Amino acid sequence: MDELGLYGVLSGIQPLRHEQPRISGKALPVRFQRKSGDPDAWRFGGGVGKPLEQVLKTMANGHVVVMDLDGASDASAWGGLAAQLAQRKGVRGTVLWGTCRDAEEIRGCGYPVWSTGVCPRRSRNEFTFGSINEPITIGRCTIGPGDLIVADGSGVVCIPKDRAAEILKLAQKISHQEAVLEAQVLDDRVSSWDEL
């Protein structure tokens, strides 16, 4: 994507656990809006907040839930119950521009989550529903419905669905170049970085 002048990195988002596997899937973009004390979002006690309930009803096998929480560090919209339900539905993982909670529970069930950090406070009193399956922008990257999300220990990348074939072809070429170069490095015979 760098070669094509495309910026697809969701900077500042890291895996919840170090041994998390690489995932890929189709983006389900979600945006929550900051709004304290919204009666339409609030729900007493345990479970999930009303805005998250809409996400849990929409997500499906093969999705990667990508949530724009305005980078919030004071409240978390995603926790253990949501992770377990997503896992049962075949969702590949969740990416949060904000924090998650129930870290031990999420790690225990093995569900992949990337976030800006963790916070034990629930979000239902701080956010209301914004949008689902509409483009969102996180940093310099716009994520549209069905874009390809690839995430691993280094972070998260969004590949625009209309450029995916072109990007894959170029990635295969670069992968071949790097394999040749690695062999030369291991044999101490690198003569030129440009002749590949």
Side-chain angles (χ1 to χ4, degrees):
M1 291 178 67
D2 288 342
E3 300 293 337
L4 297 171
L6 300 173
Y7 192 88
V9 175
L10 279 64
S11 299
I13 297 176
Q14 300 180 7
L16 182 62
R17 56 190 170 96
H18 295 295
E19 70 279 9
Q20 219 162 254
R22 176 180 292 138
I23 64 153
S24 64
K26 293 182 178 181
L28 175 67
V30 176
R31 185 174 54 84
F32 285 179
Q33 294 177 306
R34 285 217 181 240
K35 186 176 183 182
S36 295
D38 180 3
D40 291 330
W42 185 83
R43 175 180 282 139
F44 174 80
V48 300
K50 291 180 183 176
L52 184 58
E53 189 178 344
Q54 296 183 55
V55 179
L56 301 179
K57 287 178 180 177
T58 305
M59 65 187 185
N61 185 31
H63 276 149
V64 175
V65 177
V66 184
M67 297 182 69
D68 177 4
L69 303 168
D70 193 34
S73 61
D74 60 341
S76 299
W78 191 273
L81 287 173
Q84 290 180 62
L85 181 57
Q87 191 173 49
R88 290 179 63 84
K89 286 189 164 193
V91 176
R92 304 286 174 82
T94 297
V95 176
L96 303 164
W97 179 237
T99 59
C100 70
R101 65 181 185 278
D102 303 333
E104 290 86 357
E105 190 176 337
I106 293 171
R107 289 181 183 126
C109 76
Y111 181 77
V113 172
W114 284 258
S115 67
T116 59
V118 294
C119 175
R121 186 168 180 255
R122 64 187 188 175
S123 67
R124 67 190 70 180
N125 293 328
E126 298 301 329
F127 288 94
T128 192
F129 183 76
S131 65
I132 192 165
N133 255 338
E134 294 179 13
I136 59 173
T137 300
I138 296 175
R140 293 171 50 193
C141 184
T142 298
I143 301 102
D147 284 348
L148 182 62
I149 302 294
V150 179
D152 62 13
S154 294
V156 183
V157 175
C158 175
I159 300 168
K161 62 184 175 188
D162 60 342
R163 304 285 300 268
E166 176 187 14
I167 291 166
L168 177 60
K169 184 175 180 181
L170 189 55
Q172 289 170 330
K173 179 179 179 182
I174 292 169
S175 178
H176 172 73
Q177 288 179 325
E178 289 196 345
V180 171
L181 237 154
E182 182 180 23
Q184 291 179 359
V185 167
L186 294 175
D187 290 342
D188 291 321
R189 55 185 178 86
V190 176
S191 57
S192 171
W193 297 102
D194 295 316
E195 295 177 11
L196 294 175

